[in-house]
Amino acid sequence: MNKELSKYSSYKLYIWKLLHSLINYFFNIYVKKKYSINDNCYLYFKKIGYYNQVLINYINFSESKYFSFLNLKLVKLILNFNTKVPILRINKINIKPKIFSIDKYTSLFTIWSKHVSTTFKTLNIFNNLYDELSKFAVLEIKYIDIDFECFKIKLLNIKCLKNVNKTRIFVDKLQIFYKDNYCCSINKFKLSHDNISGTINIFAKKMLVTIRNYILKHDIFNDINNILNKFKLNDNGKSPNIYFDKIEIQLMIHNHIIFELNKVINEANIVKFDGLVKIWKKQIFWIKQFKYNLYDNSILIDDIRIRLFKSSTDKLFKTFRPIYKTYYNKKPPKLK
């Protein structure tokens, strides 16, 4: 009995070493040359119980038409052939994208015209396995840093769950920097896409937008418009359903003015929210059940209340005056 166990363990060790060598061989020969991955990247295979793990320390991709820089650190792929749900975990991703359109994928394997009769049947097994693995997937990423033109986006704790009919993305925190200056953050962000109906739902707990004096020194609206023009939008697509529990906009130009929008909803092209405006700690403006129709630009409001103090008008004037002079008061050039 002991001899049989020793033979089984030796066979198992031999198979593991053979599989490990084959993975390293194909990774070094095919994958690295095709995607121009750095030569120092190290891959190894590990088995824990019923799970098979493929681990990569880091990957540096060369420049392509989609990005100028892409770096992945501590990549772990977990496979369980019983459940057929791959789990991909990445510690950190650094990317500098160029464009936002991806070519449509056509086929996994191309078969030679003079193939053997059994070739199609053999490759069809791999195609079916790829289809099954692509239907269900779990992606977990700890950090993502996106550097695009003058904006930097940092995402923390990202999780993507995909099945046949639905894809869901969860982000604990999202931060946006404009020219290395903090300007926006979103907490508990969630995006879901239904493949059957084609609807997109966006949820978030809180969104904070900070506008300071440095934004007035740069044309941020023009920079945002240039980025939006690079996205290829389909006119026939449905507009996403959006729900934010709270949106807070802080103007810190000479004074501290806060715009609070609660229960912001965009559904069927109708925007709804309750609003509040504060100057420092004084509340001066309330609005309830604000509804704006994006089709005909009609506005419906249930209740509005305004309370002004002696210093409120002066604070509002001093805050919005620099914005007016920067974006609206365009004086014609002087003639000589």
Side-chain angles (χ1 to χ4, degrees), residues 12 36 54 57 66 89 93 129 134 138 181 183 210 217 233 248 255 264 271 278 281 284 289 302 305 316 326 334:
K12 185 177 180 181
S36 301
V54 180
N57 56 347
Y66 299 110
R89 293 175 180 171
I93 297 178
L129 179 61
S134 62
V138 177
N181 293 296
C183 62
T210 304
K217 298 178 183 179
L233 302 178
E248 185 174 318
N255 294 288
V264 182
V271 181
K278 292 191 294 186
K281 295 182 180 180
I284 64 168
Q289 293 297 319
D302 288 351
R305 188 159 64 97
L316 289 172
T326 303
K334 295 182 180 180

Side-chain angles (χ1 to χ4, degrees), residues 13 17 31 38 60 74 84 94-95 148 165 169 178 204 239 265 267 279 284 302 334:
L13 181 62
K17 289 183 178 180
V31 179
N38 56 301
N60 285 328
L74 296 178
K84 298 180 182 179
N94 296 317
I95 183 172
F148 185 71
N165 300 324
I169 300 174
Y178 175 69
S239 60
I265 302 173
E267 189 175 6
I279 298 181
I284 64 168
D302 288 351
K334 295 182 180 180

Side-chain angles (χ1 to χ4, degrees), residues 8 43-44 65 86 95 110 130 147-149 151 196 198-199 205 209 222 234 243 252-254 280 311 319 335:
Y8 173 75
L43 176 145
Y44 61 96
K65 66 176 182 179
I95 183 172
T110 56
Y130 174 80
D147 189 356
F148 185 71
E149 294 186 356
F151 288 91
I196 299 176
T199 57
K205 188 70 176 176
V209 180
N222 186 36
N234 187 5
Y243 176 80
M252 298 182 180
I253 304 172
H254 295 303
W280 293 98
S311 60
T319 300
L335 299 177

Side-chain angles (χ1 to χ4, degrees), residues 260 276-286 305-309 312:
E260 290 186 3
L276 174 66
V277 180
K278 292 191 294 186
I279 298 181
W280 293 98
K281 295 182 180 180
K282 296 180 180 180
Q283 299 179 2
I284 64 168
F285 183 83
W286 297 263
R305 188 159 64 97
I306 302 174
R307 181 179 63 175
L308 294 178
F309 298 92
S312 298

Side-chain angles (χ1 to χ4, degrees), residues 232-247:
K232 295 181 179 180
L233 302 178
N234 187 5
D235 296 335
N236 298 325
K238 297 181 181 179
S239 60
N241 299 321
I242 300 174
Y243 176 80
F244 280 81
D245 193 31
K246 184 178 181 180
I247 297 178

Side-chain angles (χ1 to χ4, degrees), residues 258-309:
I258 300 174
F259 298 87
E260 290 186 3
L261 307 179
N262 299 314
K263 298 179 181 179
V264 182
I265 302 173
N266 178 22
E267 189 175 6
N269 290 316
I270 297 178
V271 181
K272 306 176 185 177
F273 62 84
D274 296 333
L276 174 66
V277 180
K278 292 191 294 186
I279 298 181
W280 293 98
K281 295 182 180 180
K282 296 180 180 180
Q283 299 179 2
I284 64 168
F285 183 83
W286 297 263
I287 185 170
K288 290 184 178 181
Q289 293 297 319
F290 177 89
K291 297 180 182 179
Y292 174 68
N293 195 324
L294 298 176
Y295 281 127
D296 54 8
N297 294 326
S298 61
I299 297 176
L300 179 62
I301 302 172
D302 288 351
D303 186 18
I304 292 180
R305 188 159 64 97
I306 302 174
R307 181 179 63 175
L308 294 178
F309 298 92

Side-chain angles (χ1 to χ4, degrees), residues 141-190:
I141 306 172
K142 196 170 184 181
Y143 301 101
I144 296 180
D145 288 340
I146 303 173
D147 189 356
F148 185 71
E149 294 186 356
C150 53
F151 288 91
K152 290 184 179 180
I153 303 175
K154 295 184 177 182
L155 297 90
L156 178 64
N157 294 332
I158 306 97
K159 189 171 184 180
C160 178
L161 305 176
K162 182 184 182 302
N163 55 28
V164 179
N165 300 324
K166 199 168 186 179
T167 302
R168 291 173 294 174
I169 300 174
F170 304 89
V171 181
D172 278 354
K173 191 169 185 179
L174 186 150
Q175 293 179 331
I176 301 175
F177 296 83
Y178 175 69
K179 295 186 182 295
D180 296 330
N181 293 296
Y182 170 82
C183 62
C184 180
S185 67
I186 302 176
N187 295 334
K188 303 298 180 182
F189 177 83
K190 177 183 175 182

